[in-house]
Amino acid sequence: SQKIEQNSEALNIQEGKTATLTCNYTNYSPAYLQWYRQDPGRGPVFLLLIRENEKEKRKERLKVTFDTTLKQSLFHITASQPADSATYLCALRNTGGFKTIFGAGTRLFVKA
Amino acid sequence: GAGVSQSPSNKVTEKGKDVELRCDPISGHTALYWYRQSLGQGLEFLIYFQGNSAPDKSGLPSDRFSAERTGGSVSTLTIQRTQQEDSAVYLCASSMGGIADTQYFGPGTRLTVL
């Protein structure tokens, strides 16, 4: 069955360091991969989208890579700040429809 | 304009009762999604509406769950004969409707079934 795996353990890093979050998937050939941020008690907020034919996408301090051979995406936050502390969700969508599959998310804590 | 809104924000009900959850999408958005998020879990797709097309109901967990979208705008998710395992946060999202478009989420409705 289709499966998305994100590290269930929280990631704790020091302010100023680069945070790297991983999203792995199996039994799926996504056309698009998205990353969302979710704060406690709120709905997810879209951050970045990367297409299957793109290797890397950047937006300010954020960088996403997409390796369709490894079936993996990496999400990087450079120069991390305490305000970056949140849960980050990976989401996949194929070309066959609009159904989006989300991972369970990884909790990030950035310490000052 | 305003974002996606959902009501109520919290709902506590007794097992066996019916509940209705409401979603007001962003004006002009043709696509609307419902998801369920249980504690520590990812978002579980429930149903998708796009314009006047037949909805994709493939994620509804049982026939106790149904949803409608009136006039291409407001949507209501109905859960009949609620069970304790229905307790979760129910999230609604809307989008412009393109295949690679961004989904804008509401704050969710936290449903607790006693």
Side-chain angles (χ1 to χ4, degrees), chain A residues 5-35:
Chain A
E5 291 184 346
Q6 293 187 256
N7 196 338
S8 59
E9 293 184 12
L11 178 62
N12 292 280
I13 64 167
Q14 199 68 35
E15 181 177 13
K17 300 293 186 182
T18 296
T20 298
L21 308 176
T22 304
C23 174
N24 295 295
Y25 59 92
T26 56
N27 298 324
Y28 204 77
S29 297
Y32 306 92
L33 188 147
Q34 299 173 320
W35 283 89

Side-chain angles (χ1 to χ4, degrees), chain A residues 8-71:
Chain A
S8 59
E9 293 184 12
L11 178 62
N12 292 280
I13 64 167
Q14 199 68 35
E15 181 177 13
K17 300 293 186 182
T18 296
T20 298
L21 308 176
T22 304
C23 174
N24 295 295
Y25 59 92
T26 56
N27 298 324
Y28 204 77
S29 297
Y32 306 92
L33 188 147
Q34 299 173 320
W35 283 89
Y36 287 77
R37 168 184 173 141
Q38 186 173 24
D39 291 283
R42 295 178 176 268
V45 174
F46 171 79
L47 296 175
L48 280 170
L49 176 147
I50 187 165
R51 292 174 169 77
E52 61 178 337
N53 60 350
E54 297 176 318
K55 297 295 185 184
E56 183 179 295
K57 184 71 73 72
R58 293 175 183 261
K59 179 182 177 182
E60 298 174 349
R61 295 185 296 111
L62 309 180
K63 184 178 84 170
V64 171
T65 63
F66 193 11
D67 189 326
T68 55
T69 300
L70 293 178
K71 295 186 181 296

Side-chain angles (χ1 to χ4, degrees), chain B:
Chain B
V4 177
S5 61
Q6 292 186 246
S7 61
S9 55
N10 282 284
K11 177 71 175 179
V12 180
T13 190
E14 293 180 349
K15 177 181 174 181
K17 299 285 189 182
D18 297 352
V19 295
E20 284 190 352
L21 311 180
R22 177 186 169 107
C23 172
D24 284 85
I26 292 173
S27 178
H29 280 190
T30 60
L32 187 146
Y33 305 76
W34 282 99
Y35 295 90
R36 177 168 70 177
Q37 187 172 33
S38 302
L39 188 63
Q41 302 297 313
L43 276 67
E44 177 188 3
F45 168 82
L46 297 177
I47 189 169
Y48 162 76
F49 296 90
Q50 170 59 49
N52 296 320
S53 302
D56 180 347
K57 304 179 182 180
S58 61
L60 294 178
S62 77
D63 58 7
R64 296 186 296 105
F65 288 72
S66 63
E68 62 177 23
R69 188 177 185 192
T70 55
S73 181
V74 172
S75 177
T76 302
L77 176 69
T78 301
I79 309 173
Q80 296 178 311
R81 305 181 302 282
T82 52
Q83 303 295 313
Q84 289 185 330
E85 59 264 28
D86 299 335
S87 297
V89 175
Y90 289 81
L91 290 158
C92 173
S94 71
S95 72
M96 295 293 289
I99 187 68
D101 64 347
T102 298
Q103 293 179 50
Y104 295 85
F105 283 84
T109 293
R110 180 173 297 279
L111 174 66
T112 302
V113 182
L114 301 177

